[in-house]
């Protein structure tokens, strides 16, 4: 076998090496708030032996990207000067397209620790998992195929590929869009010998685990990606191998730009995983957040729920809040009450300072109509804008859920939306239906001029792609903005409704797997044994 057919394994098995799924997720959330709204693949060795399309916890859906703007410290456990120089030459090519920098240090604390053991092949842990092992002075990457017998393009391929993993990227052949017709017996035979020497379980994990869209931040399958290794024709049933890619593809560059965007004001996140893992439920989750800049006056902070993980044995109660807002910081919280078991939740928020002077925001709660003891299924209120949009077309208005309170013995159904929008106001609605008992609920609303440039908004739902009587955990489609942005926009999105069976836990997350100038790909996801009949969300995009 030539060196072209070496195959790496991303991350090997961090759980077997001492890093639990929950601790990995908590580290990722603490490093980068966006990890809660992006995704990570589930390999068969990264948890219980379940179908790769059935993640068992929200922690398994967390991505492991470093914080944008980070300077990653790189050090070496072994290797000669020539090997180290190859890494210093090729690894920074990723940084030409990402808001990251690499600093190579001779010793001391580092984020990525590289070994060159020729007996252990080439591999890397994924993203922020590297930091855990580097702190213990254990290698986080091995570059066993870097030697002077190799051609430069082969060396570049291996280094770029493994650093892709270290930055959080997964194998392209594991994309849910990859449709490679594997000749499995040929692959078992080939990879069972040197230089990989893998057993069938290892081959299955690294070659045949097709990650669901809820587990991989995937674009359409890219056969030019550096994350796709070159496989020979005899490994497929149609006699067609994969290309020998030695440089970053255009989609690789776009992927890493989205993952590590420039330091511009973005939608921000807060997740309970920043405070505790999901296997340690807590009712009170509060954190102080610093604004990205000092404002002359306190900005508005519209918020919306982006994920829920709540036990079904007791009532479903969750409230998101932004309080104590000053010119430099505020407190955000995700709290349950009474006997509710809150395993996890997350929210998104905007810093609506002077840059958002065109945006009006506010809130509406069903308790403004009637107390929770006198709950109703249909709740509406006429909202009047503080500043009418006089002389203009009716504005665009979206809503996000911020609080829910349901009885646990009936299915959980909620829908929030607006009607009768005019220049002076609109009617906000929070409804349930059938036999659902909704004690109370609340929303945030956002309104802006319909003709405002460089802004887009809208809604999406699982009902856009399937009926409610065909529940499934992964639901995804693409939203087009209508007009193309001049550059990749920022995106904030949060939940507007859902319809879930009360017999299993309420587990729901809205996420994205890529934003481009024309639109974005959305995901509405459940996990474990939850039954999602439908779910919906709203988005706000801007540059």
């Amino acid at each position: 076998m030539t060196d072209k057919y070496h195959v790496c394994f991303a991350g090997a098995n961090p759980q077997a090496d001492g890093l639990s799924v929950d601790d990995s997720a908590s580290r990722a959330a603490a490093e980068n708030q966006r990890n809660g709204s992006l995704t990570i693949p589930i390999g068969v060795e990264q948890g219980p032996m379940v179908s790769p399309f059935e993640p068992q916890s929200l922690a398994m859906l967390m991505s492991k990207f470093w914080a944008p703007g980070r300077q990653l410290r790189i050090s070496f456990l072994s290797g000669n000067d020539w090997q180290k120089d190859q890494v210093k030459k090729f690894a920074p090519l990723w940084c030409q397209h990402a808001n990251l920098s690499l600093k190579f240090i001779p010793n001391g604390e580092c984020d990525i620790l590289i070994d060159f053991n020729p007996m252990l092949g080439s591999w890397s842990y994924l993203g922020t998992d590297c930091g855990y092992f580097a702190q213990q002075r254990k290698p986080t990457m091995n570059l066993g195929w870097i030697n002077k017998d190799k051609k430069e393009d082969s060396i570049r391929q291996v280094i770029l590929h493994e650093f892709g993993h270290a930055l959080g990227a997964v194998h392209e052949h594991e994309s849910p869009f990859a449709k490679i017709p594997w000749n499995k017996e040929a692959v078992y035979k080939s990879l069972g010998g040197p230089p990989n020497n893998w057993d069938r379980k290892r081959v299955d994990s690294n070659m045949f685990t097709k990650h669901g869209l809820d587990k991989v931040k995937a674009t359409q399958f890219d056969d030019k990606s550096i994350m796709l290794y070159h496989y020979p024709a005899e490994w497929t049933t149609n006699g067609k191998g994969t290309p020998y890619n030695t440089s970053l593809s255009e989609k690789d560059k776009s992927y890493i730009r989205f993952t590590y965007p420039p330091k511009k004001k973005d939608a921000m996140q807060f997740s309970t995983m920043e405070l505790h893992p999901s296997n340690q439920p807590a009712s009170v989750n509060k954190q102080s957040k610093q604004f990205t800049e000092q404002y002359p006056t306190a900005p508005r902070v519209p918020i919306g729920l982006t994920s829920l993980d709540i036990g079904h044995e007791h009532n479903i109660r969750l409230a998101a809040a932004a309080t104590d807002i000053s010119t430099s910081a505020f407190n955000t919280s995700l709290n349950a009450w009474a006997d509710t078991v809150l395993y996890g939740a997350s929210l998104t928020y905007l810093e609506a300072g002077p840059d958002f002077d065109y945006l009006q925001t506010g809130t509406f709660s069903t308790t403004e109509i009637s107390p929770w003891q006198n709950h109703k299924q249909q709740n509406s209120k006429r909202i009047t804008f503080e500043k009418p949009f006089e002389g203009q077309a009716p504005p665009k208005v979206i809503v996000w859920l911020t609080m829910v309170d349901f009885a646990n013995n009936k299915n959980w159904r909620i829908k929030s939306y607006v009607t009768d929008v005019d220049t002076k106001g609109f009617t906000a609605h929070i409804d349930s239906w059938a036999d659902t008992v909704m004690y109370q609920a609340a929303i945030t609303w956002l309104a802006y001029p319909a003709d405002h440039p460089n802004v887009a908004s809208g809604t999406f739902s699982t009902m856009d792609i399937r009926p409610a009587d065909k529940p499934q955990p992964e639901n995804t489609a693409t939203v087009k903005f209508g007009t193309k942005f001049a550059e990749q926009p920022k995106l904030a999105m949060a939940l507007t409704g859902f319809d879930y069976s009360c017999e299993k836990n309420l587990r729901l997350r809205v996420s994205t797997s890529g934003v481009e100038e024309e639109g974005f790909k959305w995901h509405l996801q459940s996990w474990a044994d939850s039954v999602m009949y439908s779910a919906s969300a709203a988005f706000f995009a801007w540059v």
Side-chain angles (χ1 to χ4, degrees):
M1 179 185 295
T2 71
D3 65 285
K4 292 182 181 180
Y5 303 146
H6 287 74
V7 177
C8 94
F9 46 99
N13 186 352
Q15 280 67 66
D17 295 338
L19 179 60
S20 72
V21 170
D22 286 310
D23 287 343
S24 173
S26 293
R27 292 178 63 89
E31 168 72 23
N32 182 357
Q33 296 176 1
R34 297 179 78 224
N35 280 326
S37 61
L38 300 177
T39 52
I40 191 169
I42 304 300
V44 295
E45 293 188 340
Q46 289 182 285
M49 294 294 290
V50 298
S51 162
F53 294 96
E54 296 177 357
Q56 297 300 296
S57 71
L58 179 59
M60 286 182 163
L61 296 176
M62 292 284 287
S63 62
K64 302 184 183 183
F65 300 115
W66 303 93
R70 190 77 136 73
Q71 182 180 74
L72 298 178
R73 299 161 297 175
I74 317 297
S75 192
F76 300 95
L77 267 180
S78 66
N80 56 46
D81 289 343
W82 179 86
Q83 289 174 313
K84 296 175 183 178
D85 286 343
Q86 302 311 299
V87 176
K88 295 175 183 178
K89 178 180 180 181
F90 294 120
L93 293 177
W94 280 108
C95 299
Q96 294 179 9
H97 312 282
N99 183 17
L100 285 172
S101 62
L102 306 181
K103 182 179 181 180
F104 293 92
I105 59 177
N107 48 54
E109 292 186 4
C110 62
D111 303 299
I112 297 173
L113 186 57
I114 302 173
D115 205 355
F116 293 91
N117 189 330
M119 303 302 294
L120 297 180
S122 289
W123 55 267
S124 173
Y125 289 107
L126 278 175
T128 53
D129 284 352
C130 295
Y132 172 82
F133 295 103
Q135 288 175 354
Q136 303 176 53
R137 298 301 295 175
K138 295 180 180 179
T140 69
M141 179 187 299
N142 193 70
L143 298 173
W145 305 329
I146 304 302
N147 58 66
K148 292 184 177 181
D149 294 334
K150 301 293 189 296
K151 295 180 180 180
E152 181 172 293
D153 60 354
S154 178
I155 293 170
R156 182 175 63 246
Q157 177 209 38
V158 172
I159 293 173
L160 285 176
H161 183 99
E162 301 309 338
F163 265 85
H165 290 318
L167 299 184
V170 299
H171 281 136
E172 188 67 17
H173 74 268
E174 295 169 322
S175 163
F177 295 109
K179 299 185 184 298
I180 300 173
W182 297 109
N183 182 341
K184 291 190 176 183
E185 290 303 320
V187 178
Y188 287 137
K189 181 178 179 180
S190 184
L191 294 181
N196 293 285
N197 300 309
W198 289 349
D199 59 23
R200 285 186 171 233
K201 183 180 178 182
R202 175 70 72 185
V203 174
D204 287 339
S205 174
N206 287 282
M207 300 302 299
F208 305 139
T209 298
K210 189 68 67 66
H211 300 311
L213 284 167
D214 54 334
K215 306 165 205 69
V216 57
K217 192 181 92 58
T219 57
Q220 294 294 320
F221 177 65
D222 179 15
D223 65 359
K224 296 180 177 63
S225 175
I226 195 65
M227 302 312 295
L228 176 66
Y229 262 119
H230 179 41
Y231 304 126
E234 57 266 28
W235 284 14
T236 64
T237 58
N238 63 4
K240 296 180 180 179
T242 54
Y244 182 39
N245 303 322
T246 63
S247 300
L248 300 179
S249 72
E250 290 305 310
K251 287 187 178 180
D252 288 334
K253 297 172 185 177
S254 176
Y255 172 101
I256 210 67
R257 278 194 295 269
F258 168 68
T259 305
Y260 295 102
K263 280 287 187 180
K264 294 182 179 179
K265 193 169 299 181
D266 201 349
M268 306 297 284
Q269 312 283 331
F270 169 55
S271 169
T272 58
M273 286 191 187
E274 298 176 43
L275 305 178
H276 61 84
S278 58
N279 61 358
Q280 298 176 15
S283 295
V284 178
N285 303 272
K286 183 178 180 180
Q287 189 174 75
S288 177
K289 295 287 187 179
Q290 296 292 316
F291 291 133
T292 57
E293 62 180 272
Q294 179 80 35
Y295 292 100
T297 58
R300 296 153 297 156
V301 186
I303 62 173
L305 289 168
T306 54
S307 72
L308 310 89
D309 186 354
I310 304 175
H312 72 281
E313 298 88 351
H314 303 284
N315 286 5
I316 301 297
R317 308 177 181 96
L318 175 63
T323 59
D324 304 319
I325 302 172
S326 71
T327 58
S328 60
F330 75 103
N331 290 325
T332 184
S333 60
L334 288 160
N335 295 338
W337 58 96
D339 56 2
T340 295
V341 180
L342 176 61
Y343 295 104
S346 61
L347 61 81
T348 190
Y349 66 89
L350 295 177
E351 295 181 19
D355 291 345
F356 291 93
D357 58 0
Y358 58 87
L359 188 68
Q360 295 193 45
T361 69
T363 61
F364 166 54
S365 170
T366 59
T367 57
E368 297 175 32
I369 306 300
S370 59
W372 70 267
Q373 299 94 330
N374 300 330
H375 52 86
K376 302 188 301 181
Q377 288 201 321
Q378 279 73 49
N379 304 268
S380 63
K381 180 182 177 180
R382 188 67 186 173
I383 304 294
T384 300
F385 296 127
E386 181 179 354
K387 297 179 180 179
F389 292 82
E390 294 179 349
Q392 307 177 50
K396 299 288 187 180
V397 183
I398 62 169
V399 299
W400 291 335
L401 285 174
T402 58
M403 191 262 280
V404 293
D405 184 357
F406 294 102
N408 73 311
N409 60 349
K410 303 294 181 181
N411 285 4
W412 308 305
R413 307 176 180 97
I414 187 170
K415 178 182 179 182
S416 60
Y417 58 100
V418 301
T419 61
D420 304 319
V421 180
D422 60 32
T423 59
K424 295 182 178 180
F426 64 94
T427 301
H429 301 262
I430 305 176
D431 298 343
S432 60
W433 61 96
D435 59 357
T436 295
V437 179
M438 180 176 71
Y439 293 114
Q440 57 183 324
I443 58 172
T444 288
W445 59 264
L446 296 82
Y448 65 94
D451 61 353
H452 194 281
N454 302 319
V455 179
S457 65
T459 61
F460 52 90
S461 168
T462 59
M463 300 287 281
D464 297 339
I465 58 175
R466 65 165 176 85
D469 61 359
K470 294 184 178 180
Q472 62 188 45
E474 170 58 39
N475 306 266
T476 184
T478 298
V479 166
K480 295 296 184 181
F481 293 130
T483 57
K484 183 178 179 179
F485 284 96
E487 60 184 85
Q488 188 181 75
K490 303 299 182 184
L491 180 72
M493 55 186 180
L495 298 166
T496 61
F498 51 82
D499 180 358
Y500 264 68
S501 169
C502 65
E503 296 182 356
K504 305 296 181 181
N505 289 4
L506 174 55
R507 306 178 180 98
L508 172 60
R509 183 177 79 147
V510 61
S511 65
T512 180
S513 62
V515 179
E516 298 180 349
E517 291 82 354
E518 299 88 353
F520 68 97
K521 186 175 287 292
W522 59 261
H523 304 272
L524 287 162
Q525 308 153 317
S526 63
W527 56 96
D529 58 359
S530 293
V531 180
M532 179 209 300
Y533 295 113
S534 68
S536 59
F539 71 90
F540 178 77
W542 77 98
V543 295

